Amino acid sequence: MRTTLIVGNWKMNKTASEAARFVRELTSALPRDPAVEIVLVPPFTALESVRAALGSASHLGLGGQNMHWEAQGAFTGEISGPMLRDLGCTYVIVGHSERRALFGERDGDVHKKVRSALLHGLRPILCVGESLEERESGRTEPLVTGQVAAALNGLSQRELDAITIAYEPVWAIGTGRAATTEQAVTVHRAIRKHIAAGWHHDTAGRMRILYGGSVTPQNAASLLSEPDIDGALVGGACLKTDSFATIALAAKNRPTH
Ligand code: PGA
């Protein structure tokens, strides 16, 4: 009942012209299957060229990597929800750990971004995850559910239906050391339980919870074999056609539950 979602987070990679070339190659390599939704998240500067390269009938969606919570104004260097919508984005990544760690984003900012995204018709992909130190001191679940609670505080059940959560342990991002399937499943279940307790078990049942952090063509099939893992947020491995296509195929071929 939850459509598998594979998101490619390009981070600060590819110019607009590189992006257009890449997308033309990628489109034909990715599966077209109603059971798998695929979303590309290039840098802001490449959104227009990616949209043009995809064409209007594309089966691939488009998202932004970040946004400001205000719709417009004196915020030099920032991008707003309406700007992303106007370029064809339907999703936006919010609260990525690189934003939190390198650019000082706090839970309160993430909350404002989630609210603003919803207001402007974008579906937030809310990233949460613990550091290695937090994991080793046994604080993973309270930490992660605390981030979820702070970001989604006060949202209605209907608003929650537009949200996707991405569990991305900080120690797994870009390190080549993914969480084991068991570690991911444990946290995904804790998040789902938290949503059920805070809202409704039907809301929790509809919520897509992705795993992110060193997802590769090698580990994707195992992660996606779990009913509690509804897809993947892919960084490094989404920058090459072969590896991203292999991950998307693993999603297409995942066992039906
Ligand atoms: P990675 O990044 O796949 O390169 O670990 C994932 C992410 O940061 O979303």
Side-chain angles (χ1 to χ4, degrees), residues 9 11 96 98 168 172-175 212-215 233-237:
N9 174 13
K11 307 193 180 182
H96 190 281
E98 285 153 15
E168 298 207 301
I173 295 178
T175 58
S214 296
V215 174
L233 179 50
V234 186

Side-chain angles (χ1 to χ4, degrees), residues 211-254:
Y211 169 77
S214 296
V215 174
T216 61
Q218 289 72 38
N219 60 23
S222 164
L223 288 160
L224 295 170
S225 67
E226 289 294 333
D228 274 305
I229 301 181
D230 302 309
L233 179 50
V234 186
C238 82
L239 296 170
K240 295 230 159 56
T241 302
D242 287 357
S243 52
F244 195 50
T246 307
I247 293 167
L249 272 173
K252 175 176 156 23
N253 296 331
R254 72 186 296 205

Side-chain angles (χ1 to χ4, degrees), residues 68-89:
H68 195 273
W69 54 83
E70 293 290 347
Q72 77 269 311
F75 302 99
T76 302
E78 292 291 321
I79 297 280
S80 73
M83 293 173 182
L84 293 176
R85 280 285 295 186
D86 187 56
L87 286 173
C89 291

Side-chain angles (χ1 to χ4, degrees), residues 46-120:
L47 282 169
E48 181 68 46
S49 68
V50 169
R51 175 159 77 157
L54 287 174
S56 54
S58 176
H59 61 299
L60 307 178
L62 204 55
Q65 294 182 14
N66 179 33
M67 60 177 274
H68 195 273
W69 54 83
E70 293 290 347
Q72 77 269 311
F75 302 99
T76 302
E78 292 291 321
I79 297 280
S80 73
M83 293 173 182
L84 293 176
R85 280 285 295 186
D86 187 56
L87 286 173
C89 291
T90 49
Y91 285 89
V92 61
I93 296 175
V94 174
H96 190 281
S97 72
E98 285 153 15
R99 300 290 326 161
R100 295 179 192 253
L102 305 174
F103 302 98
E105 253 181 48
R106 293 151 305 171
D107 278 339
D109 304 325
V110 176
H111 176 64
K112 285 192 272 188
K113 291 181 181 201
V114 167
R115 278 209 172 279
S116 175
L118 293 170
L119 183 69
H120 297 297

Side-chain angles (χ1 to χ4, degrees), residues 97 128-131 135 166-173 177-179 211-213:
S97 72
V128 295
E130 81 289 0
S131 67
R135 170 162 287 269
Y167 168 54
E168 298 207 301
V170 176
W171 48 269
I173 295 178
R177 182 183 162 202
Y211 169 77

